[in-house]
C-alpha cells in the first residue's frame, strides 16, 4: 500500500506535540513480482499497479517510468493470467534468449502454487520455451521458496526505507504536510532497490537456506541457471 501505516505516525525529531498523520489515499497499492536465478541474479521486476489493464495509466504513464522494471495494471494490483503471460514474454523468455542453456541442459523454474501459476494458458508457454516447471506445494512456500526465505523481506525493507526518507523529506520541505507517493516514486524505489540487491550474497544464500544443493558445487554455465518467481 502507498499509505502510511495506521498504527504509527511520523514526526521530526524533537517535536513536543505529535499528531497522528497518514497519507490521504489508502487504496493505492502495487505488487512486485520478483524473479531470481540460483547464481544470485535479480531479473527485472514486474510492478503491477492498481488500474484498468487498458486504461489511461497504461496508455500515458507506464512507458515513462524507470525502464529497470516492467509495468502492468490490474484492477486489484494482483498478478493474474494476463500479467503472468506478460512476465513470461518480457522476463522469462528474454532471459532464456540471452542465456541459452548448454546442450542437454534443461532449465528449471520453481513456481508457487498460486492459481495463475498453474493455469494451462500460462504453463503451456513456459514449457514451450523449454523450461521444466517444479510447483511448490501449498503451505511450503516459506520453507522451500528462496524468494520467500531470503529475498522478499530485504527487498520490502529497502523500499520501505526509501519511502521513509521520502516522507521525512516531504515533511521538512512542506512544513509537516504529507502527501501520498506517486506511481513514479514507487517505480523509482523498486528500480533502485533491484539494482542495489542484484548480485548481493543474500541472493544466492536464499537458495542455500532452503537446502537446494544443485548449485553448490562447481559454478555452472549461466545458461543452466534455475529461476524462481
Amino acid at each position: 500500500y502507498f499509505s502510511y501505516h495506521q498504527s504509527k505516525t511520523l514526526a521530526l525529531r524533537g517535536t513536543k506535540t505529535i499528531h497522528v498523520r497518514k497519507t490521504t489515499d489508502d487504496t493505492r497499492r502495487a505488487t512486485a513480482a520478483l524473479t531470481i536465478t540460483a547464481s544470485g541474479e535479480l531479473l527485472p521486476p514486474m510492478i503491477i499497479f492498481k488500474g484498468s489493464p487498458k486504461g489511461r495509466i497504461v496508455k500515458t504513464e507506464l512507458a515513462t517510468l524507470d525502464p529497470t522494471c516492467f509495468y502492468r495494471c490490474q484492477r486489484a494490483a494482483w498478478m493474474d493470467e494476463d500479467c503472468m503471460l506478460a512476465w513470461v514474454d518480457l522476463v522469462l523468455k528474454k532471459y532464456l534468449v540471452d542465456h541459452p542453456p548448454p546442450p542437454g541442459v534443461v532449465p528449471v523454474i520453481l513456481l508457487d502454487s498460486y492459481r495463475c501459476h498453474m493455469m494451462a494458458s500460462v504453463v503451456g508457454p513456459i514449457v514451450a520455451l523449454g523450461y521444466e516447471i517444479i510447483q511448490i506445494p501449498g503451505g511450503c512456500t516459506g520453507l522451500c521458496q528462496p524468494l520467500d526465505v531470503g529475498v522478499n523481506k530485504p527487498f520490502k525493507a529497502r523500499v520501505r526505507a526509501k519511502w521513509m526518507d521520502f516522507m521525512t523529506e516531504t515533511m521538512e520541505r512542506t512544513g509537516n504536510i504529507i502527501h501520498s507517493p506517486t506511481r513514479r516514486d514507487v517505480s523509482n524505489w523498486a528500480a533502485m532497490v533491484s539494482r542495489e540487491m542484484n548480485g548481493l550474497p543474500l541472493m544466492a544464500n536464499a537458495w542455500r537456506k532452503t537446502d537446494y544443493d544443485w548449485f553448490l558445487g562447481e559454478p555452472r554455465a549461466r545458461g543452466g541457471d534455475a529461476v524462481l518467481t
Side-chain angles (χ1 to χ4, degrees):
Y1 285 93
F2 289 16
S3 66
Y4 199 78
H5 197 287
Q6 294 183 358
S7 65
K8 298 181 180 180
T9 190
L10 181 68
L12 299 177
R13 188 181 298 276
T15 302
K16 294 183 178 180
T17 302
I18 299 177
H19 302 282
V20 176
R21 295 185 179 89
K22 63 178 181 179
T23 48
T24 56
D25 190 347
D26 61 356
T27 64
R28 303 176 72 187
R29 56 183 181 267
T31 293
L34 306 182
T35 310
I36 64 171
T37 72
S39 61
E41 181 179 359
L42 177 62
L43 304 189
M46 176 171 282
I47 309 301
I48 305 170
F49 292 110
K50 185 177 179 181
S52 172
K54 297 182 180 180
R56 176 192 60 80
I57 298 171
V58 173
K59 294 177 180 178
T60 64
E61 186 175 342
L62 296 190
T64 69
L65 302 180
D66 192 305
T68 302
C69 305
F70 295 110
Y71 305 96
R72 284 294 183 274
C73 277
Q74 201 269 351
R75 296 190 183 279
W78 295 340
M79 175 66 86
D80 63 4
E81 181 181 7
D82 290 339
C83 292
M84 191 67 184
L85 289 172
W87 171 83
V88 171
D89 188 55
L90 295 172
V91 179
L92 198 60
K93 182 179 179 179
K94 185 178 186 306
Y95 179 80
L96 193 62
V97 170
D98 293 342
H99 306 90
V105 173
V106 178
V108 175
I109 178 168
L110 284 75
L111 294 172
D112 297 339
S113 295
Y114 183 54
R115 187 171 65 89
C116 69
H117 290 173
M118 299 185 290
M119 292 180 173
S121 59
V122 172
V123 171
I126 295 176
V127 172
L129 290 175
Y131 283 95
E132 176 186 345
I133 299 177
I134 296 178
Q135 214 84 44
I136 297 177
C140 297
T141 299
L143 299 174
C144 57
Q145 195 230 55
L147 277 171
D148 198 67
V149 170
V151 178
N152 287 344
K153 185 176 180 180
F155 186 91
K156 291 179 180 179
R158 284 169 167 79
V159 172
R160 187 178 295 111
K162 296 185 183 303
W163 172 66
M164 289 293 293
D165 290 342
F166 163 83
M167 297 288 282
T168 302
E169 292 169 3
T170 299
M171 290 176 60
E172 293 175 342
R173 185 177 65 254
T174 63
N176 290 350
I177 298 175
I178 296 177
H179 60 82
S180 296
T182 63
R183 282 179 289 271
R184 184 174 301 279
D185 292 323
V186 173
S187 70
N188 288 341
W189 299 337
M192 285 188 286
V193 170
S194 65
R195 292 192 292 266
E196 292 170 4
M197 290 184 62
N198 191 20
L200 289 180
L202 67 87
M203 306 292 287
N205 289 341
W207 290 84
R208 297 187 179 94
K209 290 179 180 178
T210 52
D211 291 332
Y212 291 123
D213 57 2
W214 306 333
F215 306 102
L216 298 185
E218 293 296 322
R220 293 168 57 102
R222 290 292 295 275
D225 286 347
V227 298
L228 181 147
T229 182

